[in-house]
Amino acid sequence: MNKPLVLGLVGALSLTTAAAAQQYTASERAHEIAQKNLIIDTHIDVPYRLNKDWEDVTRATERGDFDYPRAKQGGLNVPFMSIYIPAQLEQTKGASYQLAHQLIDSMEALAWRAPHKFAMAYSVDQAMQQQERGVISIALGMENGSPIEGDMNNLYEFYNRGIRYITLAHSQSNHISDSSYDIRRQWNGLSPFGKELVKEMNKVGVMVDISHVSDEAFWQAVEISEVPVIASHSSLRTYTPGFERNMSDEMIKGLAKNGGVIMINFGSSFVTQQANRYGDIVRKQIAAINEQFGEGSDEAEKRIAEVRAKNPFPYATLEEVLDHIDHVKNLVGIDYIGIGSDYDGVGDSLPVGLKDVTTYPNLVQGLLDRGYSEADIEKVLYKNFVRVWREAEDYAAKH
């Protein structure tokens, strides 16, 4: 697709999504389904958000995609709070380890400050018991395994602090695994330590998360793991050709054969090709303007402003997120799909109809409209992931 055509579509899509903004109104039934069931979202980036820009999320906040009132409104019971560790910290010994502990501290503090609103959740049973008393369970996943720092004792330590899944790598290759974003394939998949780590994670009861890793690392993790693996916040490559961060159909089949679950990421760049390529297209135009008129010149700034005005970000829609869910269901069945929204992690790129944690009923409504049964919807909201979490718990209990 040539550049002018793509940019034309970008502008057109923005107009259509803006026009559709009012279309998503969940029915009473959709709200009821959202409120009575567990909703587990395996990837919400509140800890790092608050580390950079603190707000009291026990109350309504002006910024971000998550706070307590909005979570209650949307029916969210079990947010897996992401202990996100920037890739570059691995270059400084101890930095990843330290930040991980600080971010976990912040979530424990949140639960202690508002015990009538939040509680830490370390097991499936605990999350379910806390739902019964109306408390939101804070579960923990570590995004980037760099805090392990090559020491299995750190795995046990972070398990004891509540970490229940580890995303093996993030945006760069680390000592555990190659990253989908990193052209350096220093391990051709998992490192020797990474392969041992997957086995030990099984024994401890920490789920293996293959979001962010290279394709080779995915296949190796699936082969090694005795427990189903998860993709905590990934979508489908069939809608974003060439974007290795998403999963191919063959990988989804491999994941299903392993018994794992793909948790669908809501970020527009994960959902549509237009949004995925938008940054590259606009960046190239801006670079060309700067080269022609001189970076920082009045003429360059004027033309860059015109480019941005003519080509606003092409937000995906709820319908396009539902297409991803449909595709997985049609490919491997309903038992391998969940929610990994990436709220507070993808900035201002969330789809029309899914802008924050109040909007899970919109997702439920969309599934109802597409003919999903209530039993199927419950699988997407929590049952598929609970199955994998319990398998991880049971395997660890026997080893």
Side-chain angles (χ1 to χ4, degrees), residues 25-36 74 360-366 368 381:
T25 305
S27 64
E28 190 175 327
R29 184 184 177 205
H31 280 283
E32 184 185 320
I33 291 169
Q35 290 296 331
K36 76 178 182 183
Y360 298 105
N362 290 353
L363 187 75
V364 172
Q365 185 64 53
L368 288 170
L381 294 182

Side-chain angles (χ1 to χ4, degrees), residues 370-385:
R370 293 193 179 202
Y372 285 68
S373 68
E374 198 163 324
D376 286 346
I377 292 169
E378 288 171 2
K379 288 184 176 184
V380 174
L381 294 182
Y382 76 100
K383 285 187 174 177
N384 291 337
F385 181 77

Side-chain angles (χ1 to χ4, degrees), residues 84 86-88 144 169-173 179 181-182 212:
Y84 162 64
Q88 66 272 18
N144 191 356
H170 191 251
S171 59
Q172 296 174 19
S173 175
S179 164
Y181 285 122
D182 195 336
H212 281 285

Side-chain angles (χ1 to χ4, degrees), residues 187-232:
W187 306 116
N188 292 315
L190 300 176
S191 70
F193 176 78
K195 292 172 182 175
E196 292 306 310
L197 179 67
V198 167
K199 296 175 187 175
E200 205 63 27
M201 287 168 69
N202 288 171
K203 292 177 186 175
V204 173
V206 176
M207 289 171 276
V208 176
D209 177 20
I210 55 74
S211 287
H212 281 285
V213 304
S214 68
D215 287 10
E216 295 88 349
F218 163 79
W219 289 111
Q220 290 168 18
V222 166
E223 184 180 350
I224 294 167
S225 181
E226 299 290 336
V227 177
V229 307
I230 64 167
S232 71

Side-chain angles (χ1 to χ4, degrees), residues 59-324:
R59 304 174 182 179
T61 57
E62 293 182 8
R63 299 183 294 281
D65 309 323
F66 173 97
D67 57 42
Y68 176 80
R70 284 185 282 172
K72 290 296 280 187
Q73 185 182 338
L76 176 63
N77 314 95
V78 189
F80 266 77
M81 297 301 190
S82 172
I83 304 305
Y84 162 64
I85 309 299
Q88 66 272 18
L89 290 186
E90 185 162 34
Q91 297 165 15
T92 305
K93 184 169 173 54
S96 295
Y97 174 86
Q98 179 181 334
L99 179 59
H101 278 294
Q102 288 173 343
L103 295 181
I104 295 169
D105 288 347
S106 74
M107 291 298 97
E108 290 177 345
L110 183 60
W112 279 102
R113 280 195 301 115
H116 56 300
K117 295 180 178 179
F118 295 107
M120 301 303 296
Y122 304 118
S123 68
V124 173
D125 287 343
Q126 203 168 21
M128 289 185 163
Q129 289 160 8
Q130 287 166 182
Q131 181 207 14
E132 288 178 13
R133 60 187 182 91
V135 175
I136 292 176
S137 290
I138 296 174
L140 300 177
M142 180 181 283
E143 186 177 18
N144 191 356
S146 62
I148 302 300
E149 295 197 332
D151 185 346
M152 290 298 180
N153 289 321
N154 288 338
L155 170 65
Y156 316 140
E157 186 175 339
F158 284 118
Y159 173 84
N160 289 333
R161 294 219 61 193
I163 295 295
R164 290 300 176 266
Y165 75 72
I166 295 175
T167 317
L168 300 178
H170 191 251
S171 59
Q172 296 174 19
S173 175
N174 63 13
H175 72 284
I176 297 165
S177 174
D178 290 337
S179 164
S180 63
Y181 285 122
D182 195 336
I183 59 171
R184 299 168 300 168
R185 304 292 167 146
Q186 63 171 322
W187 306 116
N188 292 315
L190 300 176
S191 70
F193 176 78
K195 292 172 182 175
E196 292 306 310
L197 179 67
V198 167
K199 296 175 187 175
E200 205 63 27
M201 287 168 69
N202 288 171
K203 292 177 186 175
V204 173
V206 176
M207 289 171 276
V208 176
D209 177 20
I210 55 74
S211 287
H212 281 285
V213 304
S214 68
D215 287 10
E216 295 88 349
F218 163 79
W219 289 111
Q220 290 168 18
V222 166
E223 184 180 350
I224 294 167
S225 181
E226 299 290 336
V227 177
V229 307
I230 64 167
S232 71
H233 59 307
S234 294
S235 293
L236 309 188
R237 207 176 293 173
T238 192
Y239 296 102
T240 56
F243 185 46
E244 191 178 341
R245 171 66 178 80
N246 274 346
M247 295 186 72
S248 70
D249 284 4
E250 286 308 305
M251 293 166 77
I252 292 162
K253 289 175 185 174
L255 186 76
K257 188 176 178 183
N258 164 268
V261 185
I262 177 171
M263 318 299 287
I264 299 297
N265 189 317
F266 294 172
S268 291
S269 64
F270 292 81
V271 175
T272 68
Q273 190 172 18
Q274 292 98 325
N276 189 265
R277 293 184 175 179
Y278 171 84
D280 289 338
I281 293 163
V282 171
R283 271 193 295 273
K284 284 176 185 173
Q285 285 210 31
I286 290 171
I289 290 168
N290 283 331
E291 189 176 336
Q292 184 175 353
F293 298 101
E295 189 170 354
S297 70
D298 290 344
E299 185 62 24
E301 293 300 313
K302 176 187 163 192
R303 287 174 182 258
I304 289 169
E306 287 172 357
V307 166
R308 293 193 184 281
K310 285 178 185 173
N311 302 287
F313 184 77
Y315 295 104
T317 65
L318 168 61
E319 295 299 327
E320 288 163 323
V321 174
L322 293 168
D323 289 344
H324 285 249

Side-chain angles (χ1 to χ4, degrees), residues 324-334 337 370 372 376:
H324 285 249
I325 295 174
D326 277 352
H327 188 81
V328 179
K329 178 176 72 76
N330 294 335
L331 193 66
V332 294
I334 192 66
I337 314 164
R370 293 193 179 202
Y372 285 68
D376 286 346

